[in-house]
């Protein structure tokens, strides 16, 4: 089965509110995690990443939290905007070959809907 | 636009025909990846290259699928004797070995097998 999954297929939030998207993974060997955003008809777009030696990383309006104890990853988006509406995927890379990113394992995705 | 381009963007073919897709990665990127994405699912890894060497193939890459990257620049993905189950979005990504491991995705090629 999949080693990365998401808890909620659809999340609806009011514009301006904060949103939290969750992800569970099962491969304890994974060393690198990424959140991607995918808009309709487009390829996934990198949002933020985090390595397993960290538990939190912040970007512009986004924060990723990693809890290795329970194998849980979350993406927090602050002050959501209409342009944040998209499908969000978490992905993991187990560094099978070392030295660089290998094939990523993606979850099913959460569709974030921003209500005006 | 990430700088990764894919052609064609859409392809409709009849069952049993062969199709070939092309990916042009970001020019200095030495790793190139192929993924498949079906509706409502996340991308699934198929294979990747480091320069011209194909380093890994997933179990999803059946014998009907073949990928090449002959000069370490662009790559092609060929599907022989297409089946309706091959209908999907085929995504290409590239990254820089020794960089920050970020994979930059192209817009994908949408394949419909009738």
């Amino acid at each position: 089965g999949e080693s990365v999954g998401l808890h909620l297929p659809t999340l609806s939030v009011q514009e301006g509110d904060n949103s939290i998207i969750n992800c569970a993974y099962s491969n304890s060997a994974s060393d690198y995690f990424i959140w991607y955003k995918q808009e309709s008809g487009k390829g996934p777009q990198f949002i933020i990443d985090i390595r397993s030696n960290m538990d939190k990383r912040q970007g512009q309006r986004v924060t990723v939290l990693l809890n290795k104890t329970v194998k849980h990853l979350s993406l927090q988006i602050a002050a959501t905007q209409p342009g944040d509406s998209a499908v969000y995927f978490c992905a993991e890379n187990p560094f099978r070959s070392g030295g660089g990113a290998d094939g990523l394992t993606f979850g099913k995705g959460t569709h974030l809907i921003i209500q005006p | 636009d990430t700088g990764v381009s894919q052609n064609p963007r859409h392809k409709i073919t009849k069952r049993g025909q062969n199709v070939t897709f092309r990916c042009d990665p970001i020019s200095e990127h030495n790793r190139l990846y192929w993924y498949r994405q079906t509706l409502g699912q996340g991308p699934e890894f198929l294979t990747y290259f480091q320069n011209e060497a194909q380093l890994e193939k997933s179990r999803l890459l059946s014998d009907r699928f073949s990928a090449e990257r002959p000069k370490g620049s662009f790559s092609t993905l060929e599907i022989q004797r297409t089946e309706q189950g091959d209908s999907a979005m085929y995504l290409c990504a590239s990254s820089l070995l020794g960089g920050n491991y970020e994979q930059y995705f192209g817009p994908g090629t949408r394949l419909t097998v009738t």
Side-chain angles (χ1 to χ4, degrees):
Chain A
E2 290 187 335
S3 66
V4 179
L6 290 166
H7 298 311
L8 195 64
T10 303
L11 176 64
S12 183
V13 299
Q14 291 292 124
E15 183 179 349
D17 287 353
N18 299 334
S19 66
I20 299 176
I21 301 172
N22 295 304
C23 176
Y25 67 95
S26 60
N27 189 345
S28 58
S30 292
D31 190 43
Y32 174 64
F33 304 88
I34 317 99
W35 281 99
Y36 281 92
K37 172 186 180 183
Q38 189 173 27
E39 296 173 290
S40 181
K42 297 184 179 180
Q45 176 189 355
F46 174 91
I47 300 173
I48 192 167
D49 59 3
I50 189 167
R51 297 189 187 280
S52 61
N53 61 354
M54 303 172 70
D55 53 20
K56 181 179 180 178
R57 190 166 187 219
Q58 289 183 295
Q60 186 177 11
R61 287 200 304 117
V62 294
T63 301
V64 56
L65 299 176
L66 175 63
N67 185 330
K68 293 182 288 294
T69 302
V70 295
K71 296 178 186 170
H72 184 268
L73 192 68
S74 68
L75 175 70
Q76 301 176 359
I77 305 175
T80 52
Q81 303 169 357
D84 294 331
S85 292
V87 178
Y88 290 80
F89 294 98
C90 64
E92 62 173 327
N93 179 73
F95 280 102
R96 290 178 292 277
S97 68
D102 301 313
L104 298 174
T105 300
F106 283 79
K108 288 189 173 66
T110 292
H111 185 193
L112 179 64
I113 300 170
I114 308 301
Q115 303 280 4
Chain B
D1 183 2
T2 62
V4 178
S5 61
Q6 293 187 245
N7 288 288
R9 294 293 309 278
H10 302 276
K11 178 71 177 178
I12 300 173
T13 191
K14 292 185 178 179
R15 186 165 52 94
Q17 298 294 304
N18 299 342
V19 294
T20 300
F21 310 140
R22 175 174 170 132
C23 171
D24 287 88
I26 295 171
S27 59
E28 64 269 25
H29 283 186
N30 39 25
R31 285 202 168 180
L32 186 150
Y33 311 79
W34 285 101
Y35 293 83
R36 180 178 71 186
Q37 185 176 26
T38 53
L39 198 62
Q41 304 293 315
E44 297 171 296
F45 168 69
L46 294 177
T47 187
Y48 85 92
F49 294 83
Q50 181 170 306
N51 300 313
E52 65 276 8
Q54 190 171 15
L55 293 190
E56 187 172 359
K57 298 186 215 181
S58 85
R59 58 178 172 75
L60 295 175
L61 209 67
S62 77
D63 291 345
R64 297 185 297 105
F65 288 67
S66 62
E68 294 183 344
R69 194 183 184 198
K71 297 182 180 179
S73 56
F74 73 91
S75 175
T76 58
L77 178 68
E78 181 183 15
I79 308 174
Q80 297 182 326
R81 304 180 302 282
T82 51
E83 301 172 357
Q84 287 189 319
D86 297 331
S87 295
M89 176 77 83
Y90 289 85
L91 293 161
C92 174
S94 68
S95 73
L96 183 63
L97 182 64
N100 62 1
Y101 308 118
E102 180 180 343
Q103 294 184 21
Y104 295 81
F105 281 82
T109 294
R110 169 76 64 189
L111 173 66
T112 302
V113 182
T114 62

